[in-house]
Amino acid sequence: MPFENKRGNKGLSFTQMGIEDNNMRNGRGLSDQWADSVVVRPRTTERSITVHKRLVLGFAISILTLIIVTVIAVLLSIRFEECAGESSSRAGNGSNAKFNGSRDGNGNHKDEETQPWRHHRLPASLRPRHYDLRLAVYMDNFTFSGEVNIEFECVYTTKFIVLHMDGLELEKVAVYSDNKKPGVMRIHRQFHYPANQVYVIALHRELKPMRTYKVNITFEAQIENELLGFFRSSYMLHGERRYMAVTQFSPTHARKAFPCFDEPVYKATFRVILRHDASYLSLSNMPVEASISDDDGWVTNHFARTPRMSTYYLAWAVCNFTYRETITDSGVVVRLYARPNAVQSGAGDYALHITKRLLQFYEDYFKVKYSLPKLDLLAVPKHPYAAMENWGLSVFVEQKILLDPEVSSFSYQMELTMVVVHEICHQWFGDLVTPVWWEDVWLKEGFAHFFEYVGTDFLFPKWNMEKQRFLTDVLHEVMLLDGLASSHPISQEVYEAVDIDRVFDWIAYKKDYLMTHMYSNAARDDLWNKLTEAMQNEGKDINIKEVMDHWTLQMGYPVVTISKNDSLDHSVTVTQEHFIYDQDAKIRDPDLFNKSFQWQIPLTLATGNSTHRSPEAIIWLSNKTETHKVGRMDEDTWLLGNINQTGYFRVNYDLHNWRLLIEQLMTNPEIISVGNRAGLIDDVFNLARAGYLPQNVPLQIICYLPQEREFLPWHAASRSLYQLDKLLDRTEDYNLFSDFVLKQVASKYHKMGWPSALTDGSILQTSYQIEELQREVIMLACSFGNKQCHRQAVSLISDWISSNKNRIPPNVRDIVYCTGVSLMDEDVWEFIWMKFHSSTAISEKKVLLEALTCSDNGFLLNRLLNLSLSSDLVPDQDVIDVIIHVGRNPHGRQLAWRYFREKWDVLNSRYGEALFMNSKLISGVTEFLNTETELNELKEFIQISGGGAGPAFARAVEIVEANVRWHSLHERQFFQWLRKSPNG
């Protein structure tokens, strides 16, 4: 819509020379359930990465590290959907892609010259060098006006300047030459092409290669109440609503704030000038060079010139925040900005402290200095993601950076720590070195996600993040998603802007990769070349690309089956096949699944018996089926593959070997490592779910849990049991299952008891491993109906209500709150609702809100759903969590499913462009549906709604189909075993 001109003389201009009028219209195309496992993750600090001297082992370890980290990212598939359309525009990709948008560097630009705006990628003809960007921000009416001056170089002869632009109202446009004959260039025509979010300037005469030009554009837009581009947010301070505005440009939303070359390959420098009411402060990627106060009560901040970077890392904010700061040993100024009351309470001190340590750690680890003079951490009330790693100005949603040690649980602290570690790592992997195009975004996300564990291990070595929690919280979870037929390769082609959110995947390695591509872009093959070069320097002639392409360019992962042979030569037969939950998919889509998926697999293998386990050996599996000799074996010797779960694949065995492994766990589990015990549990449940094993095998294996003293196997078991719980919680025989689980939990629950009330207000406990195991067992006990657990939770809630003093230990507050709300009367729900509004601690508010979804009262659940969407009582980013958590409650499942469908238009308009949030909502609401009726309702809804979020809905249908299929094929066998089992 056109803006009312309320700006008077506050507008900004670089130049008045020859700017042509353009009356174009703007073209605006208008945390886990309390019973889920703790989200945590885990490395002993190593200051360098080296290649082993032994050929096979060195190669295997390098590959395994890469494989694990690479495929991890599929977990965020909430963000990486299947390709929704096919391209007709790309003309190759080669190494010359750095400045030609991944197109053929030999001059095939002529095809795109006819109508270059119709292509999904910008034409390769122009390359930006520098942006001067001036903005005047009007917080009184949530609008802004701007002027951008873009200096660019012509690479190929062209008459067209094609820029990204979305939702802006352009006022004036001028193009002029910077060369021997400077002056205004005549514009033939100009227009917006909304299908590809571009603005086209057609000139009378051609732009010539090797020359530089400038385009000057003035524009206006709204500061939207959305979550992308330049958007606004609000918060309460002393009973008054305050507003702030901040940017979120990744992956394709810088174009909502200013016209630009909005693709990652087009790196340039930026100089930003922000003008606004002096009652606000402003931030950007670089420090303020000059600040000029005007007589009219406005201030103009001139920010220093940035290094070369992609548009989606540019950032700014206008707010009333205050800050605390610290300085690293190398002189980097680190500040944390937040609401004044949050800063005053010290809620940001923890994040500020670990950020300082992390900057110093990464500088030492990578041997590359942090490139900017400052790093600001900005805590905002709402944001589409947990955080965004803008260079020099990282933005976090408040829940992921503010911590009150007196009320925050250990799991909250751990999750917050890993978010900060991830984003700080991006200051090197992503900001300093950026993928050429979004199909290789996993190059930055892989490094950052892997270093969540390395960095957290550096901060808190006793947490044992890299060695243990990585397995259950990353590897196991991503394999759950990557086993779907709707999965995709790690590296996948991306053509349109709407496809980009689906590809955020991850991997990385090695300092020299950073040094080579500093301030530039890198593609997948650049990484493989660096790894191959490192191997060759060690005298190893190994082509890493050849090996890794099997893992990055094929979807899914293999299941390796190991079987003893009857012969006397101590040999085993090893086979590999594509693991998939829906075996029928191979029949339905033979073109996709029968193309001989095959991987090069470094399989570690050991044998053992009741008292001894052999040293591991390595088998390099390259074919579908191979026979290998192993050490001496007899009838009682078991085989164990994928030692410590260092490989990205599942392992299956013949039933006799499974029986031997179960017997070993029952008699002396510690003969098998902690990682392998957790891995066996995860593998056996998922193999049974997919039909590779009978349903009783996973139930038999967890009968050893009363003897398990370590957290990790319990964590793996609880994740698998909650998956089963959501399938069974509405069946007639559900009590058979819950009673079976409780019998495995009872002895450990009675032995560990409950944590004592806090004595020192600190969550930094040295016995965190014991606390986490205790929490896991209490969660299982209360979730599945242990009467003693229920009585304790009710007692703690009652004490809080009667004394108005909360003595519930933070580490179990979510369990206690939810159990109390589900068992007690409506007054308790109202009490928790009141506490949610009065609490100022971000972590406590989150736990209280989730507890409200645990009620078995449909009226209260419906009230909560309506209040969350139609009022300001629940923050925007929490609305989705409310709907999902109501759906996780068996008493609210149908209510949430109906509410989701009825409010879809409202939800889709609010979150539709924030595809990560939209996917999270769709998967969260539908993953618990498991009847034929619900499946038909889902398919009908998709058809009626037009399937706007197609990939997310496709995956939802597959998951619900799998749920229905499990009931049809396996439910009867499952309950039959429980009826017969002595443990059942």
Side-chain angles (χ1 to χ4, degrees):
M1 299 183 297
F3 290 88
E4 294 180 11
N5 189 354
K6 300 179 180 178
R7 297 177 173 79
N9 61 359
K10 294 189 177 72
L12 302 166
S13 176
F14 285 113
T15 175
Q16 301 297 323
M17 182 179 72
I19 298 181
E20 300 185 8
D21 287 337
N22 169 30
N23 295 320
M24 286 290 299
R25 307 286 279 189
N26 63 1
R28 189 190 308 258
L30 295 174
S31 252
D32 290 337
Q33 179 193 24
W34 70 274
D36 275 359
S37 50
V38 186
V39 181
V40 193
R41 295 116 185 181
R43 161 169 171 139
T44 54
T45 308
E46 296 179 60
R47 299 274 172 154
S48 61
I49 301 175
T50 59
V51 181
H52 260 266
K53 301 300 181 183
R54 292 172 56 201
L55 171 61
V56 177
L57 187 57
F59 188 26
I61 290 174
S62 299
I63 298 305
L64 289 170
T65 301
L66 291 167
I67 290 169
I68 292 172
V69 179
T70 301
V71 192
I72 297 321
V74 186
L75 167 61
L76 294 184
S77 63
I78 336 178
R79 288 194 233 174
F80 9 116
E81 313 290 353
E82 267 308 314
C83 185
E86 295 185 357
S87 170
S88 58
S89 65
R90 293 189 66 187
N93 56 13
S95 60
N96 289 332
K98 287 189 170 57
F99 298 117
N100 64 14
S102 293
R103 295 181 178 80
D104 187 348
N106 297 321
N108 288 348
H109 60 283
K110 293 186 177 179
D111 292 341
E112 63 191 26
E113 266 304 292
T114 310
Q115 290 185 323
W117 53 89
R118 293 188 179 275
H119 294 271
H120 297 310
R121 298 279 299 276
L122 291 180
S125 310
L126 307 176
R127 181 176 69 201
R129 295 172 59 173
H130 177 73
Y131 293 78
D132 280 312
L133 178 62
R134 291 174 176 256
L135 296 174
V137 180
Y138 305 90
M139 295 298 292
D140 56 344
N141 63 0
F142 304 122
T143 62
F144 67 100
S145 62
E147 180 179 4
V148 64
N149 203 41
I150 309 173
E151 178 186 325
F152 60 91
E153 179 183 351
C154 180
V155 180
Y156 303 119
T157 300
T158 181
K159 286 186 175 182
F160 300 106
I161 301 172
V162 183
L163 298 167
H164 284 114
M165 185 272 280
D166 181 25
L168 304 174
E169 182 178 349
L170 270 58
E171 295 177 334
K172 296 179 180 179
V173 178
V175 180
Y176 48 97
S177 171
D178 244 10
N179 291 282
K180 296 178 181 178
K181 297 180 179 178
V184 180
M185 300 188 69
R186 187 179 173 193
I187 296 174
H188 174 60
R189 64 185 180 122
Q190 51 189 306
F191 59 91
H192 182 211
Y193 188 68
N196 287 334
Q197 299 178 346
V198 295
Y199 192 80
V200 183
I201 305 167
L203 301 169
H204 271 280
R205 60 187 178 90
E206 293 180 332
L207 303 173
K208 299 298 183 182
M210 305 300 291
R211 295 183 182 177
T212 58
Y213 301 86
K214 288 184 179 178
V215 57
N216 181 282
I217 303 172
T218 57
F219 54 92
E220 295 180 323
Q222 292 181 335
I223 304 172
E224 300 286 3
N225 187 24
E226 295 178 355
L227 293 165
L228 300 169
F230 186 28
F231 66 93
R232 69 181 185 266
S233 182
S234 66
Y235 58 96
M236 299 300 293
L237 184 66
H238 307 311
E240 177 188 351
R241 184 163 295 280
R242 302 282 184 92
Y243 290 91
M244 57 91 61
V246 67
T247 58
Q248 170 56 35
F249 290 162
S250 176
T252 59
H253 307 294
R255 64 194 68 177
K256 293 178 181 293
F258 65 105
C260 56
F261 295 83
D262 199 12
E263 291 180 5
V265 70
Y266 292 114
K267 286 192 168 187
T269 56
F270 296 82
R271 191 179 293 276
V272 176
I273 300 174
L274 293 176
R275 180 173 164 79
H276 52 81
D277 189 289
S279 62
Y280 293 86
L281 63 84
S282 56
L283 305 169
S284 190
N285 305 78
M286 299 296 287
V288 173
E289 278 188 331
S291 185
I292 302 171
S293 297
D294 297 332
D295 294 337
D296 58 3
W298 279 54
V299 64
T300 302
N301 285 332
H302 297 250
F303 294 89
R305 188 184 185 114
T306 72
R308 291 183 66 246
M309 64 184 193
S310 302
T311 49
Y312 75 96
Y313 280 133
L314 185 66
W316 61 80
V318 177
C319 58
N320 289 120
F321 288 175
T322 55
Y323 69 87
R324 286 188 181 173
E325 77 171 35
T326 186
I327 301 176
T328 69
D329 293 345
S330 58
V332 178
V333 177
V334 184
R335 289 180 174 177
L336 186 138
Y337 288 84
R339 293 176 285 109
N341 53 346
V343 172
Q344 186 177 9
S345 71
D349 292 354
Y350 174 75
L352 188 66
H353 169 69
I354 64 172
T355 297
K356 176 182 177 179
R357 293 185 62 201
L358 285 167
L359 284 175
Q360 294 170 171
F361 166 69
Y362 284 136
E363 285 185 337
D364 183 43
Y365 194 102
F366 299 134
K367 302 295 186 272
V368 177
K369 291 292 185 184
Y370 176 71
S371 305
L372 305 185
K374 62 95 174 177
L375 174 58
D376 294 331
L377 312 176
L378 178 65
V380 298
K382 71 176 183 180
H383 197 267
Y385 308 118
M388 178 61 205
E389 69 274 12
N390 309 306
W391 210 356
L393 177 57
S394 289
V395 180
F396 298 76
V397 69
E398 288 179 333
Q399 291 178 357
K400 303 301 182 184
I401 197 168
L402 300 181
L403 180 143
D404 185 336
E406 292 189 359
V407 298
S408 299
S409 67
F410 173 75
S411 58
Y412 182 89
Q413 180 201 6
M414 188 177 287
E415 184 176 359
L416 182 153
T417 301
M418 297 194 71
V419 171
V420 175
V421 172
H422 182 105
E423 301 309 322
I424 302 307
C425 181
H426 270 313
Q427 301 296 314
W428 282 264
F429 292 105
D431 297 359
L432 187 64
V433 180
T434 310
V436 171
W437 181 237
W438 298 108
E439 64 199 12
D440 284 331
V441 74
W442 52 275
L443 287 171
K444 76 182 184 74
E445 291 301 331
F447 273 106
H449 196 72
F450 180 62
F451 274 95
E452 285 180 26
Y453 297 86
V454 178
T456 305
D457 229 33
F458 160 73
L459 293 170
F460 303 105
K462 291 183 179 180
W463 289 6
N464 209 11
M465 298 294 288
E466 183 194 0
K467 286 191 173 179
Q468 291 196 3
R469 297 304 289 266
F470 184 85
L471 296 181
T472 53
D473 295 346
V474 179
L475 185 63
H476 292 174
E477 189 163 344
V478 68
M479 293 179 88
L480 194 66
L481 295 170
D482 205 16
L484 298 175
S486 55
S487 182
H488 60 74
I490 295 293
S491 188
Q492 51 178 325
E493 292 190 342
V494 176
Y495 303 121
E496 304 181 52
V498 295
D499 294 329
I500 287 169
D501 270 279
R502 67 185 167 83
V503 299
F504 277 81
D505 298 27
W506 341 337
I507 190 177
Y509 208 46
K510 215 129 168 76
K511 176 196 74 176
D512 54 357
Y513 172 76
L514 269 175
M515 299 297 290
T516 303
H517 298 284
M518 191 181 296
Y519 302 112
S520 65
N521 302 80
R524 175 181 65 247
D525 288 350
D526 293 320
L527 177 58
W528 305 151
N529 291 340
K530 279 296 164 190
L531 288 166
T532 300
E533 184 181 312
M535 291 297 236
Q536 289 172 346
N537 289 340
E538 292 285 326
K540 318 293 194 297
D541 188 16
I542 298 173
N543 188 329
I544 298 293
K545 170 178 163 53
E546 185 179 321
V547 175
M548 290 308 299
D549 279 354
H550 286 278
W551 294 94
T552 62
L553 302 180
Q554 290 182 152
M555 65 180 281
Y557 56 87
V559 53
V560 174
T561 301
I562 308 170
S563 304
K564 285 184 190 176
N565 293 329
D566 294 332
S567 60
L568 299 177
D569 62 354
H570 306 294
S571 65
V572 295
T573 297
V574 186
T575 64
Q576 63 162 296
E577 65 174 295
H578 181 197
F579 177 88
I580 188 170
Y581 290 100
D582 181 7
Q583 296 291 315
D584 293 340
K586 296 179 180 180
I587 301 172
R588 291 195 307 270
D589 195 350
D591 291 338
L592 178 61
F593 293 104
N594 285 352
K595 57 182 184 182
S596 299
F597 280 1
Q598 197 164 309
W599 291 263
Q600 295 192 39
I601 305 170
L603 172 66
T604 49
L605 189 66
T607 60
N609 54 36
S610 59
T611 60
H612 174 72
R613 198 207 81 175
S614 71
E616 64 189 71
I618 295 178
I619 295 172
W620 195 257
L621 184 63
S622 301
N623 302 305
K624 289 280 190 180
T625 302
E626 295 181 7
T627 301
H628 292 271
K629 290 183 179 181
V630 297
R632 293 184 62 83
M633 296 184 294
D634 57 30
E635 186 67 17
D636 296 325
T637 301
W638 44 256
L639 292 157
L640 184 65
N642 195 15
I643 305 303
N644 293 322
Q645 288 237 288
T646 52
Y648 186 67
F649 49 89
R650 298 199 184 279
V651 182
N652 195 8
Y653 310 93
D654 57 73
L655 288 177
H656 177 67
N657 197 72
W658 276 114
R659 181 178 64 79
L660 292 173
L661 288 169
I662 292 170
E663 289 175 357
Q664 180 67 64
L665 291 172
M666 295 293 290
T667 57
N668 185 4
E670 293 183 2
I671 289 287
I672 298 172
S673 71
V674 172
N676 270 122
R677 299 201 299 271
L680 282 169
I681 292 170
D682 186 68
D683 276 351
V684 75
F685 272 93
N686 285 282
L687 289 166
R689 175 74 186 268
Y692 292 88
L693 283 175
Q695 299 304 303
N696 62 297
V697 180
L699 296 176
Q700 286 178 297
I701 208 170
I702 63 168
C703 290
Y704 98 94
L705 282 176
Q707 302 178 65
E708 180 57 70
R709 297 185 295 181
E710 298 288 341
F711 165 73
L712 205 65
W714 274 99
H715 192 44
S718 68
R719 293 168 64 91
S720 297
L721 290 170
Y722 291 133
Q723 288 286 327
L724 273 176
D725 186 62
K726 73 183 182 185
L727 280 173
L728 301 170
D729 61 9
R730 293 182 292 173
T731 59
E732 291 182 5
D733 293 323
Y734 174 73
N735 285 343
L736 282 173
F737 172 64
S738 61
D739 288 348
F740 174 80
V741 174
L742 287 176
K743 286 185 178 179
Q744 315 314 317
V745 174
S747 63
K748 185 65 69 174
Y749 170 74
H750 290 300
K751 183 177 180 180
M752 299 207 73
W754 282 69
S756 57
L758 286 178
T759 56
D760 62 356
S762 172
I763 61 173
L764 296 174
Q765 307 284 340
T766 56
S767 58
Y768 82 95
Q769 293 272 16
I770 295 173
E771 288 191 11
E772 284 297 89
L773 175 56
Q774 184 182 52
R775 169 185 163 80
E776 197 78 57
V777 172
I778 292 172
M779 187 182 294
L780 282 165
C782 276
S783 297
F784 285 95
N786 180 288
K787 301 301 182 187
Q788 204 170 15
C789 191
H790 284 179
R791 284 195 295 270
Q792 178 69 8
V794 169
S795 173
L796 288 167
I797 288 279
S798 299
D799 175 71
W800 183 19
I801 293 173
S802 62
S803 67
N804 201 30
K805 183 174 178 62
N806 191 344
R807 287 184 276 261
I808 304 169
N811 218 33
V812 293
R813 282 188 179 182
D814 55 347
I815 304 171
V816 173
Y817 293 175
C818 186
T819 304
V821 167
S822 67
L823 296 175
M824 301 170 80
D825 59 23
E826 185 175 335
D827 289 343
V828 173
W829 193 94
E830 296 290 354
F831 176 79
I832 298 293
W833 176 248
M834 176 191 69
K835 291 297 183 181
F836 166 71
H837 288 295
S838 62
S839 175
T840 57
I842 297 297
S843 60
E844 182 75 351
K845 289 181 78 73
K846 180 178 185 292
V847 172
L848 289 164
L849 182 61
E850 290 180 3
L852 292 167
T853 70
C854 299
S855 174
D856 60 2
N857 185 319
F859 170 78
L860 293 176
L861 293 175
N862 195 54
R863 175 183 165 194
L864 179 63
L865 286 169
N866 287 320
L867 284 171
S868 67
L869 193 61
S870 60
S871 72
D872 292 331
L873 298 176
V874 176
D876 273 0
Q877 69 268 13
D878 291 336
V879 172
I880 285 177
D881 287 331
V882 168
I883 299 171
I884 290 173
H885 283 84
V886 171
R888 287 175 172 170
N889 180 346
H891 300 285
R893 190 160 303 160
Q894 279 299 316
L895 185 64
W897 173 224
R898 183 173 66 250
Y899 189 83
F900 169 82
R901 287 173 289 167
E902 290 174 354
K903 302 297 183 181
W904 171 248
D905 288 342
V906 177
L907 292 165
N908 196 39
S909 65
R910 183 181 293 190
Y911 304 111
E913 271 200 285
L915 296 181
F916 171 64
M917 298 186 76
N918 215 21
S919 282
K920 177 184 175 183
L921 173 62
I922 292 167
S923 63
V925 170
T926 60
E927 66 177 329
F928 298 95
L929 307 178
N930 56 39
T931 68
E932 196 75 49
T933 299
E934 289 167 340
L935 176 60
N936 291 332
E937 288 173 349
L938 174 60
K939 290 179 177 177
E940 182 182 350
F941 171 71
I942 293 171
Q943 193 170 18
I944 292 172
S945 67
F953 276 128
R955 187 170 58 250
V957 168
E958 183 182 355
I959 290 172
V960 177
E961 284 176 340
N963 294 343
V964 172
R965 186 169 56 252
W966 187 91
H967 280 285
S968 172
L969 297 177
H970 305 305
E971 180 185 334
R972 183 180 175 187
Q973 180 195 49
F974 183 88
F975 283 120
Q976 278 180 343
W977 186 86
L978 284 176
R979 289 189 186 95
K980 296 176 184 177
S981 169
N983 282 303

